[in-house]
Amino acid sequence: MRMKRIYWLPILDWGRRYTAGLALQDGLGAIIVTLMLIPQSLAYAMLAGMPPVTGLYASILPLIAYALFGSSRTLAVGPVAVLSLMTAATLGPLFPFGSTEYVGAAMLLALLSGLILAGMALLRLGFIANFLSHPVISGFISASGILIAVGQFKHILGIQASGDNLLELLPPLASNLGGMHGPTVLIGVSSLVLLWLSGSRLKPWLMRLGLRPALASNLARTAPVPVIILSILLVALLQLEQGGLKVIGNIPQGLPALSLPPLNYPLILKLLPAALLISLVGFVESVSVGQTLAAKRKQRIEPDNELLGLGASNLAAAFSGGFPVTGGFARSVVNFEAGSRTPMAGVFAAAGIAIGVLLLTPFLHNLPQAVLAATIIVAVLRLVDLNSLVRTWRYSRADGAAQLATLAGVLLFSVESGILLGVGLSLLLFLWRTSRPHMAVVGQLPGSEHFRNVERFSVRQSRRVLSLRIDESLYFPNARYLEERIAELTNQHPDIEHLVLMCSGVNLIDASALESLDAIAERLRSCAIQLHLSEVKGPVMDRLKRSHFVESFAGRIFLSQFQALSELDPHSMPPAATEVLAPNR
């Protein structure tokens, strides 16, 4: 019972060994993360179509909930660009941005996401995220970064433009360029330049001043803070708000009141597909970041614990006026590099943000929306990796096609369409590829017990025995192809008396393939050819023994292909076989 509690509550494990030294490291790391989280949370709330303060709300209780249930020691949970975009894409067509109905629906979306993630954890369904392949995720993140950046230029330029894809965003952006607001453009472009230079040049400059690389990196990542302070002072001194510059305005002061999201059954049914997609994307992003950082410290994370931790975080966001959250890449890297050692750093960061909500919100009234937009653009453009598409395409056209489909789907249609298109194409290409598995006629390498493809190696073949190696599991998409391929080979080798299927590459034989093997054996028998199997793996053999196949099979199942050839056609074997390794094996 104690082990089960520790499994579901990792805090019981690391919490027992928590010391003052660890608390100091976590506290220092939390200061850096807090300085980064405050402007990021405000920006991502704006991206999600929510009031800015809800970004701060979504960065308090979710961090505490993750500390209780999450397994990563350094993952920082909160609003992220991709989930904010998905939230806006889901709720934008339903309610006006920032309205009471919109905020309630966002809380409901977080609630549904939290319940889905927690349910997946209890059912140990973490493997489901494997259906989102790396090329699909890479294409999705790059396209989302481009789409988010383009969508934020309306705030940089001070013009009106809206849309869920590039086809909807670009025309109004282009047609409204004549109405650009000068002060907004000046502040927006200046913020972009300063943030971009701080991200690419500030760290080397600080290192030349003698700072350690880790400290220089952390200070460079907090560059939005001085930019925000400077912009607020400029707006106040020059009274730019009266001149038409858009600022975030009044932010409620005080901690969020706990409340239950509005439970509207028709709305729940409408939001459920999007909540499922948000849950999967958030889980994949969080696990990818968590595993990468854990490996650097020779630690490990538990996917089911991550599901529960993220589920609890989203439930906490739902009850505290927030929106869907997950583990963010940038903030987690900062948390790691700042020296945080345990999830308690997240608790300290939550406390810092809570203090900010209590004390600092009145000073944020004059914060320009253009500065938050610049913060978003600089952050998301770091996620864009179009070179990944080139690398993937060179290695695998199928994976490259799935990545390209995802990229184009998100940019030209919608976030949901892009993901579904990429996942669907990946599965279809997988089924197509495995429906025509590689099968090679093999022969014995002289002087060894190894068998290799007759088209690639100079090998010895038996006239009486045809050896066919199957390099794929046998299941319903390729069962018929197996029958056709064997029929073709037997026509090409009319003198054979035995056909041996070398199953070293077969990890599964499903019911359809088993029926095909029965049919193949019967057809070969009618042609005076006996079917045999060799090198059948243990788990596959266990399943075969539970069927009628082994009892009715007239052929033999050999331990190795060498044994099969030795017993079926001993005259084809050399007097003595010595082990010789073949080149390019």
Side-chain angles (χ1 to χ4, degrees):
M1 188 67 180
R2 177 176 173 274
M3 288 301 296
K4 187 174 182 180
R5 286 201 304 269
I6 290 179
Y7 180 82
W8 291 116
L9 285 170
I11 190 174
L12 297 179
D13 181 28
W14 60 262
R16 289 180 299 131
R17 298 188 294 272
Y18 201 67
T19 63
L22 290 175
L24 179 61
Q25 289 179 290
D26 288 343
L28 293 175
I31 293 174
I32 302 295
V33 173
T34 301
L35 292 174
M36 178 183 181
L37 273 181
I38 290 178
Q40 256 196 10
S41 299
L42 294 170
Y44 291 153
M46 186 176 74
L47 176 60
M50 297 283 286
V53 73
T54 60
L56 300 176
Y57 294 163
S59 301
I60 300 175
L61 289 186
L63 284 167
I64 298 173
Y66 183 83
L68 291 173
F69 299 101
S71 63
S72 172
R73 301 294 177 93
T74 52
L75 192 72
V77 173
V80 298
V82 172
L83 293 198
S84 297
L85 173 65
M86 296 179 73
T87 299
T90 301
L91 303 180
L94 302 178
F95 307 103
F97 286 118
S99 64
T100 302
E101 295 81 3
Y102 188 99
V103 173
M107 293 168 61
L108 182 58
L109 194 61
L111 176 67
L112 294 174
S113 180
L115 292 174
I116 290 170
L117 289 165
M120 290 173 63
L122 295 176
L123 296 174
R124 308 291 179 87
L125 297 181
F127 69 89
I128 289 180
N130 295 334
F131 288 102
L132 292 175
S133 67
H134 177 74
V136 169
I137 289 296
S138 178
F140 166 69
I141 290 177
S142 293
S144 297
I146 295 171
L147 195 60
I148 291 169
V150 172
Q152 292 305 303
F153 270 103
K154 63 183 178 183
H155 299 296
I156 298 290
L157 304 176
I159 59 178
Q160 294 293 323
S162 62
D164 295 327
N165 54 57
L166 290 185
L167 298 178
E168 296 176 358
L169 281 170
L170 291 178
L173 280 175
S175 61
N176 292 330
L177 285 177
M180 291 188 299
H181 185 250
T184 301
V185 174
L186 182 61
I187 287 183
V189 173
S190 299
S191 300
L192 269 178
V193 172
L194 287 173
L195 291 172
W196 186 261
L197 288 176
S198 66
S200 58
R201 299 285 187 268
L202 184 56
K203 179 182 175 180
W205 183 71
L206 291 174
M207 289 175 62
R208 283 197 295 269
L209 292 179
L211 273 66
R212 291 176 300 172
L215 180 58
S217 177
N218 289 330
L219 290 177
R221 292 180 186 275
T222 60
V225 174
V227 173
I228 284 175
I229 294 174
L230 179 61
S231 67
I232 291 174
L233 292 175
L234 283 174
V235 172
L237 292 173
L238 302 179
Q239 297 184 347
L240 296 178
E241 184 182 1
Q242 285 73 19
L245 180 73
K246 290 185 177 181
V247 297
I248 63 174
N250 292 323
I251 299 178
Q253 191 173 6
L255 296 176
L258 298 181
S259 62
L260 184 69
L263 301 179
N264 184 322
Y265 183 70
L267 183 60
I268 289 175
L269 293 181
K270 191 174 292 186
L271 296 181
L272 200 55
L276 178 60
L277 206 55
I278 286 173
S279 301
L280 290 177
V281 171
F283 174 59
V284 171
E285 179 177 352
S286 181
V287 167
S288 300
V289 175
Q291 287 177 335
T292 301
L293 297 180
K296 292 183 178 181
R297 290 181 179 170
K298 297 182 180 179
Q299 298 169 349
R300 61 191 300 268
I301 66 172
E302 295 289 343
D304 292 324
N305 270 118
E306 289 305 291
L307 283 169
L308 188 59
L310 294 176
S313 298
N314 277 279
L315 292 175
F319 292 125
S320 58
F323 50 95
V325 297
T326 192
F329 176 76
R331 70 189 60 174
S332 297
V333 170
V334 170
N335 196 38
F336 179 90
E337 293 180 349
S340 299
R341 308 300 298 185
T342 75
M344 189 59 72
V347 177
F348 293 152
I353 295 172
I355 294 173
V357 172
L358 289 171
L359 303 178
L360 300 180
T361 51
F363 301 100
L364 297 175
H365 176 280
N366 290 327
L367 176 59
Q369 292 185 7
V371 175
L372 292 182
T375 302
I376 293 173
I377 291 172
V378 172
V380 299
L381 286 182
R382 294 193 181 103
L383 303 177
V384 178
D385 183 13
L386 297 181
N387 288 329
S388 171
L389 177 60
V390 177
R391 295 192 300 268
T392 304
W393 183 267
R394 287 175 178 173
Y395 180 76
S396 169
R397 296 292 174 87
D399 289 334
Q403 186 169 346
L404 181 61
T406 306
L407 186 75
V410 171
L411 292 177
L412 302 180
F413 300 104
S414 67
V415 173
E416 293 84 359
S417 298
I419 293 179
L420 294 176
L421 188 62
V423 172
L425 186 58
S426 293
L427 293 177
L428 285 176
L429 290 172
F430 170 78
L431 291 174
W432 176 81
R433 186 171 63 247
T434 56
S435 68
R436 300 178 64 84
H438 180 261
M439 300 183 189
V441 175
V442 297
Q444 183 190 11
L445 285 170
S448 76
E449 296 183 6
H450 297 293
F451 286 77
R452 291 293 183 268
N453 191 336
V454 298
E455 297 180 0
R456 293 177 178 267
F457 293 85
S458 177
V459 294
R460 180 184 292 108
Q461 287 185 269
S462 167
R463 292 185 178 181
R464 298 177 56 213
V465 180
L466 180 64
S467 302
L468 179 64
R469 190 187 70 215
I470 304 172
D471 296 330
E472 186 63 71
S473 292
L474 299 177
Y475 69 128
F476 66 94
N478 59 31
R480 184 63 60 92
Y481 179 74
L482 176 66
E483 297 181 34
E484 295 172 355
R485 179 62 174 150
I486 289 178
E488 177 186 344
L489 289 172
T490 52
N491 289 334
Q492 295 174 1
H493 300 80
D495 298 331
I496 64 170
E497 301 174 11
H498 303 276
L499 190 148
V500 183
L501 295 182
M502 186 176 174
C503 301
S504 55
V506 176
N507 297 314
L508 168 72
I509 298 177
D510 74 354
S512 298
L514 191 62
E515 293 295 328
S516 290
L517 287 178
D518 278 332
I520 291 169
E522 186 61 33
R523 290 171 190 165
L524 291 177
R525 191 178 299 116
S526 66
C527 300
I529 301 173
Q530 181 59 58
L531 177 68
H532 306 275
L533 305 179
S534 74
E535 302 190 13
V536 180
K537 294 182 177 179
V540 178
M541 194 66 211
D542 292 340
R543 296 189 67 173
L544 291 179
K545 289 178 180 178
R546 296 198 298 266
S547 71
H548 66 280
F549 181 79
V550 175
E551 296 179 359
S552 61
F553 187 48
R556 298 179 59 185
I557 300 178
F558 296 98
L559 183 63
S560 69
Q561 189 66 21
F562 182 79
Q563 180 193 20
L565 201 61
S566 299
E567 298 189 20
L568 296 177
D569 189 9
H571 298 292
S572 69
M573 304 297 291
T578 57
E579 182 73 13
V580 177
L581 293 179
N584 301 320
R585 60 179 292 173

